[in-house]
Amino acid sequence: MTERVVRVASGQGFWGDSLDAPRQQVENGPVDYLMLDYLAEVTMSILQKQKERDPAMGYARDFVGAMDSVLDAVTERGVRVVANAGGVNPPACATAIQGVAKKCGKSLRIGVVTGDDLLPRLNELVEQGHALAHMETGEPLETVRDRVLSANAYIGSRPIVEALSRKAQVVITGRSTDTALTMAPIRFEYGWKDTDYDRLAAGIVAGHILECGAQSSGGNCQYDWRNIPDLANVGYPIADAYEDGSFVVTKHPNTGGRVSVQTVSEQLVYEMGDPHGYITPDVIADFSTIRIEDAGPDRVRVFGIKGYAPTDKLKVSIAYKSGYKAVGTLVYSWPDALEKAQLADRILRERLERLGLRFDEILTEFVGASATHGPLAGDAGRNAPEIQLRVGVRSDDRATVERFTREIAPLVLNGPPGVTGFAGGRPKVEEIVAYWPALIDKTVVQTHVEIV
Amino acid sequence: MKVRLLDIAHARSGDKGDTANVGVIANRPEWFPLIARELTQERVTRHFAGMIEGEVDRFELPNLNALNFLLHGALGGGGTLSLKTDAQGKVYSTALLRMMLDVPDAEARALGLPSA
C-alpha cells in the first residue's frame, strides 16, 4: 500500500501574479487542492474603496478569471480551491463565482468565510477598551481613528476546515492568513486536532513556502540564478503532505524553474522575524526546528518541525489615510552624470524652499550610483553612462505635493545639461494608504461559514 | 585571505513595517560556522551604518545553515509611506553580500573558499 499524500498546489502569490498559473497547476498534473493567495497588507484598503463605490465589489476580481480557467478541474476532477480572494466582500465574490459556473452550465458548492471584517465594529471595540495600539510604535488607534479605511483580523484555519467538512468545492475567505490557506486543507484531510501543534506548525511551514508562488520554485532566486532553467514556463510550487506532518516540495514535470534546497531555503527566510516564534492564529511554529533535504530532482523533503500553543490574540490589519506623496525623475548622461544630477537636486530643493513648501519628508536618490545600496556602493556612480535623479516628497497637504510635481520638468530647460528621460510627463500625486498592525483578543472575533 | 560574502553565501530579504529582514544562507554547510562567526551583530550593524536608523537583531538557524538579521528603521517608514526605491527592502540581501571577510589563509584553504 502506498502512503497517503495530500497534494496542495500554489497558483497565486499575490494579487497581480501570473494569470495562467492557476490553470497550469490543475492541467499539468494531478493536484488535490489549489491554493490562491491574493492579499497583501494594503490590498484590503484598495478593496474597501472599491466596495464603497459599488457594494457588489471589494474582492480580488482576478479570481473570477482564475475560477473560469479551472472550473472543469473543480467540477469534473474534484480539485478543491481555497482562496482569500474574498477581500472585504466574500459573499459578493461567491456570487460572482456562481455566475461563472452558471454561465458554463455547472453548479458549485462554495464555502464563504466571514467575520474577519472589524470595520463596522471599530468604534464599539475602541469604546470597550481595545486600544488596537500600533505593534511597532505602541501608539493607540485613536490617533488615526477618523482616517481608517479598513480593519481586518487575520483569521486561521478553522473556518476553512469547517467549510471543507461541509463539502465546499471552493472556499472563499477574507483576511485569512496566507499560511492557513495551505495548512487548512492538509489538516482537514488528516483530521489534525487543535492541539496537534507539531503537525499544524508543519502545515504552516508548507504554507510559508507556497504563499509567494514561484518564489520557492526558482523565481527571484539568487543561488545559481543564471542556470535556473526556463523561467518563462516556471512551474509553481506544490506541497505533497504526509500524515506525520512531513512534506515534499515539488512542481509539475515539464515545467521550468527549480525546486532545490537552496530555492526553498531562500523562501523560508523571506520576511522572517524571530525564527523561534512564527506566530499564527492556530499555532506558533519554530522555524529553527525545520529540517530540509534533497529528495531527488525538483524534490525537497521538509520535516522535523516543532510547534507550540498559539497566543490568545489575533493580529489585525488596519489601513488608514496618511497624506500624499509624489516621486519625480530625470536622467542625466555622461560626462559627469552624477555631478549634474546632484546640482539639479540642489537647484530643485532651493526652489521648493523659496516657494515656501514644507514637506514631512523629501528624499533624493541617485539611481545608478547609490539608490539601493547607499554608501556600500562606493564610487560606482562616478563614471556612470547615466544617472537617474529620483526625488520623492510626502505631505499631509495635497496642494503642496501637487506644486512639487510642477517643479521637475522646468529643470530640463533651466537646469544642468545632458538631461533626458522626462517623456513620462509630470509625476502623479498619490494618496498614501498606510498600514497599522495591531493585536486584539481572540474572543472578540467570531468567524462564520456559509455554504452557497 | 579576502573573501567576499557574495561568493560563499546567498540571501533573500523582505519587509515587515519599517523593518527589513535579511536571511543569509551558506552556499555549503561546511562554510556556515565561518559565516556565523564573522557575521556578528556588531559587524552587520557597522556594515549598514548610515543606511538604517534602528538596531540590528541577529538570529541563528543552523538547521538551514542560515542567519537572519532584522534591520530596524531601514525602510524610510516602510510600506506605502516610504519614498525609497527599495521601499520593501528587497535588495538589502545583496547589500549584505557585499561584505568582505578576512579569513586566515590556512582556514580558507582547508574550506576551499574562493578568493575575492
Side-chain angles (χ1 to χ4, degrees):
Chain A
M1 201 183 100
T2 54
E3 197 178 353
R4 188 174 167 206
V5 58
V6 176
R7 185 154 242 239
V8 183
S10 164
Q12 198 79 179
F14 67 102
W15 188 6
D17 202 357
S18 161
L19 293 174
D20 298 322
R23 183 181 52 79
Q24 287 168 356
Q25 283 293 59
V26 300
E27 285 183 0
N28 288 343
V31 300
D32 299 315
Y33 288 88
L34 178 65
M35 184 284 290
L36 305 172
D37 174 21
Y38 285 96
L39 301 182
E41 289 177 349
V42 182
T43 316
M44 300 302 275
S45 62
I46 298 167
L47 295 171
Q48 185 65 41
K49 278 186 177 175
Q50 293 177 359
K51 187 184 172 188
E52 277 163 20
R53 280 195 296 269
D54 180 350
M57 291 295 162
Y59 56 89
R61 272 171 292 171
D62 281 3
F63 182 57
V64 178
M67 277 309 301
D68 195 26
S69 73
V70 303
L71 198 59
D72 285 349
V74 173
T75 55
E76 279 155 41
R77 287 189 278 124
V79 174
R80 299 169 90 174
V81 178
V82 183
N84 57 10
V88 295
N89 203 351
C93 183
T95 303
I97 301 307
Q98 288 293 17
V100 170
K102 203 164 288 169
K103 197 185 68 196
C104 303
K106 317 244 184 195
S107 77
L108 267 184
R109 204 173 152 83
I110 303 179
V112 184
V113 176
T114 53
D116 60 299
D117 190 352
L118 303 181
L119 189 63
R121 302 167 56 196
L122 208 54
N123 284 334
E124 171 203 334
L125 289 169
V126 171
E127 275 160 30
Q128 284 168 4
H130 300 281
L132 292 163
H134 192 288
M135 284 173 72
E136 285 181 32
T137 66
E139 277 179 279
L141 184 68
E142 214 41 57
T143 50
V144 298
R145 171 66 194 94
D146 53 341
R147 291 183 277 147
V148 169
L149 288 170
S150 66
N152 296 77
Y154 285 88
I155 56 177
S157 64
R158 272 195 242 165
I160 302 171
V161 170
E162 185 192 330
L164 293 172
S165 68
R166 291 166 65 186
K167 303 201 165 16
Q169 296 164 288
V170 179
V171 183
I172 296 170
T173 76
R175 187 58 279 191
S176 281
T177 62
D178 305 345
T179 49
L181 304 175
T182 296
M183 187 266 262
I186 301 171
R187 122 171 236 197
F188 162 70
E189 289 287 340
Y190 291 122
W192 293 342
K193 298 192 298 286
D194 284 349
T195 51
D196 285 337
Y197 297 128
D198 291 348
R199 287 184 286 191
L200 295 181
I204 292 295
V205 173
H208 183 82
I209 293 169
L210 259 52
E211 71 175 285
C212 293
Q215 205 176 222
S216 61
S217 56
N220 190 27
C221 181
Q222 172 145 18
Y223 184 86
D224 196 32
W225 63 270
R226 280 186 187 84
N227 299 312
I228 292 176
D230 197 13
L231 281 174
N233 180 39
V234 64
Y236 274 50
I238 294 168
D240 282 349
Y242 298 93
E243 212 281 325
D244 65 355
S246 68
F247 59 92
V248 169
V249 186
T250 186
K251 64 186 184 70
H252 285 313
N254 306 313
T255 58
R258 174 185 292 165
V259 177
S260 68
V261 166
Q262 288 84 8
T263 67
V264 173
S265 294
E266 283 194 24
Q267 178 57 22
L268 280 172
V269 298
Y270 179 63
E271 289 183 350
M272 179 188 274
D274 177 353
H276 304 288
Y278 185 98
I279 301 172
T280 77
D282 298 290
V283 66
I284 297 174
D286 183 348
F287 274 44
S288 74
T289 60
I290 299 171
R291 307 274 303 279
I292 173 169
E293 67 183 23
D294 191 323
D298 290 315
R299 290 177 68 80
V300 168
R301 193 167 97 88
V302 184
F303 60 103
I305 297 151
K306 287 283 187 199
Y308 306 98
T311 71
D312 57 359
K313 307 276 187 206
L314 291 179
K315 189 172 169 182
V316 183
S317 152
I318 298 168
Y320 66 102
K321 288 188 231 177
S322 187
Y324 302 87
K325 67 178 177 183
V327 173
T329 62
L330 288 171
V331 171
Y332 288 87
S333 82
W334 188 93
D336 308 313
L338 181 55
E339 264 182 85
K340 289 169 185 166
Q342 286 167 334
L343 175 58
D345 177 50
R346 286 198 298 275
I347 295 167
L348 174 65
R349 282 172 179 258
E350 196 175 326
R351 288 177 183 165
L352 296 174
E353 189 82 36
R354 285 186 192 179
L355 287 165
L357 300 176
R358 294 276 172 275
F359 300 96
D360 294 333
E361 191 188 356
I362 306 184
L363 179 74
T364 301
E365 291 179 327
F366 299 101
V367 179
S370 55
T372 60
H373 284 188
L376 293 169
D379 61 358
R382 230 184 50 192
N383 205 28
E386 66 270 328
I387 294 286
Q388 184 189 59
L389 169 67
R390 183 180 183 279
V391 183
V393 300
R394 184 157 59 79
S395 167
D396 281 340
D397 181 43
R398 188 181 184 112
T400 302
V401 177
E402 201 77 63
R403 188 67 183 82
F404 158 81
T405 66
R406 306 296 306 262
E407 289 302 312
I408 303 292
L411 282 164
V412 173
L413 298 186
N414 66 19
V419 60
T420 183
F422 43 85
R426 221 190 302 157
K428 275 205 263 312
V429 178
E430 231 187 294
E431 182 169 25
I432 301 171
V433 175
Y435 179 65
W436 182 283
L439 294 174
I440 198 155
D441 295 336
K442 259 184 188 166
T443 50
V444 168
V445 180
Q446 259 92 47
T447 56
H448 312 277
V449 177
E450 198 187 343
I451 304 291
V452 299
Chain B
M1 189 172 99
K2 291 266 185 216
V3 176
R4 198 165 57 155
L5 189 56
L6 176 70
D7 297 327
I8 61 169
H10 56 120
R12 179 171 292 176
S13 56
D15 68 319
K16 198 129 277 177
D18 197 21
T19 298
N21 100 291
V22 185
V24 55
I25 306 159
N27 281 356
R28 294 192 198 165
E30 63 268 28
W31 294 347
F32 175 67
L34 168 91
I35 291 169
R37 185 186 76 207
E38 294 293 322
L39 271 66
T40 60
Q41 191 264 350
E42 295 78 20
R43 180 76 200 271
V44 171
T45 303
R46 251 186 294 135
H47 185 73
F48 287 116
M51 289 177 71
I52 64 175
E53 286 166 13
E55 312 251 289
V56 173
D57 292 323
R58 176 184 183 278
F59 301 96
E60 291 197 6
L61 289 132
N63 54 319
L64 302 176
N65 300 304
L67 300 172
N68 185 39
F69 292 95
L70 299 184
L71 317 177
H72 298 285
L75 301 174
T80 49
L81 284 170
S82 177
L83 299 173
K84 291 165 81 87
T85 297
D86 191 23
Q88 291 173 303
K90 298 280 188 187
V91 297
Y92 268 102
S93 52
T94 47
L96 180 61
L97 294 177
R98 284 175 174 274
M99 190 184 281
M100 298 295 284
L101 308 178
D102 268 315
V103 183
D105 287 352
E107 185 184 16
R109 268 197 306 276
L111 288 171
L113 298 182
S115 169

